[in-house]
Amino acid sequence: MTERAVITSLSQMLTQEFVFSILVLHGPNLNLLGQREPGIYGSVTLAEINRLLVAEGVKLQAEISHMQSNHEGVLVDAIHSASQDKQGILINAGAYTHTSVAIRDAIASVKLPTVEVHLSNIYQREAFRHHSYIAPVAIGQISGFGAESYRLGLIALMHHLKSRTTT
Ligand code: CA2
């Protein structure tokens, strides 16, 4: 085996074994998904979205942890804890997107790359949903693709993390 071939296979081994830990956070009322208001948020349940993300994570070398809370402080605590063992955050903060300086400050303080996602297109809805406190501290936002917003958000987050690792 040439020196070059050894280096190539070593780097392939390293790449394959490197798994990123990602925290998926769901904010208030998202536990009701699939049970109420299917006209706006679709019929997919939160459990189905979580399963979809875990499966997508296997393809992308991402280990997914997920949690949902209806309480702002619980979400803030989860963001703080993520700084200990996670490399990125995917968040749908629900209505807190439009109100929570606390969640915005928590994301800014942990300095973990964060992607904001929304099931609905928040810019096609009421004016109060057009402003996000999270957007300025996120690396990007995906809005309007239903459950697919989460998958696209995970792909974007992993793309960001992998490109940062290799450059
Ligand atoms: O489109 C999104 O993902 C939102 O983050 C959803 C939030 C809303 O406040 C944001 O403006 C946009 C609301 C989540 C509530 O989810 C429900 C699901 C089923 C039934 C009732 C609420």
Side-chain angles (χ1 to χ4, degrees):
M1 205 179 209
T2 65
E3 192 182 341
R4 188 185 173 80
V6 171
I7 290 168
T8 304
S9 57
L10 271 176
S11 75
Q12 279 170 349
M13 278 164 61
L14 283 172
T15 316
Q16 277 161 18
E17 280 168 20
F18 202 86
V19 172
F20 292 87
S21 294
I22 305 298
L23 176 64
V24 178
L25 278 179
H26 307 283
N29 297 309
L30 287 161
N31 53 314
L32 299 176
L33 274 182
Q35 299 165 37
R36 316 247 172 90
E37 303 203 56
I40 302 176
Y41 299 115
S43 54
V44 63
T45 66
L46 197 61
E48 285 164 347
I49 290 176
N50 288 332
R51 274 197 291 275
L52 174 156
L53 289 172
V54 169
E56 192 67 27
V58 172
K59 295 185 210 160
L60 295 169
Q61 297 167 264
E63 183 187 59
I64 305 296
S65 312
H66 50 81
M67 70 159 291
Q68 185 275 332
S69 180
N70 295 322
H71 304 280
E72 190 174 20
V74 173
L75 294 165
V76 168
D77 286 343
I79 293 164
H80 291 173
S81 300
S83 69
Q84 290 163 25
D85 58 353
K86 305 289 188 273
Q87 282 82 49
I89 298 175
L90 187 67
I91 185 167
N92 182 351
Y96 286 143
T97 304
H98 319 296
T99 64
S100 181
V101 178
I103 291 176
R104 173 207 179 109
D105 286 351
I107 292 169
S109 71
V110 296
K111 296 189 173 63
L112 288 174
T114 297
V115 173
E116 173 185 355
V117 298
H118 297 285
L119 295 153
S120 61
N121 181 343
I122 57 175
Y123 303 100
Q124 275 180 350
R125 302 185 63 192
E126 304 94 321
F128 68 84
R129 296 186 204 272
H130 297 178
H131 177 261
S132 165
Y133 278 100
I134 293 166
V137 294
I139 57 170
Q141 182 196 70
I142 295 175
S143 173
F145 298 96
E148 188 68 5
S149 290
Y150 283 88
R151 201 179 68 83
L152 295 170
L154 180 63
I155 291 169
L157 179 57
M158 289 302 293
H159 178 79
H160 175 88
L161 288 168
K162 287 178 184 176
S163 62
R164 211 174 58 165
T165 305
T166 53
T167 52

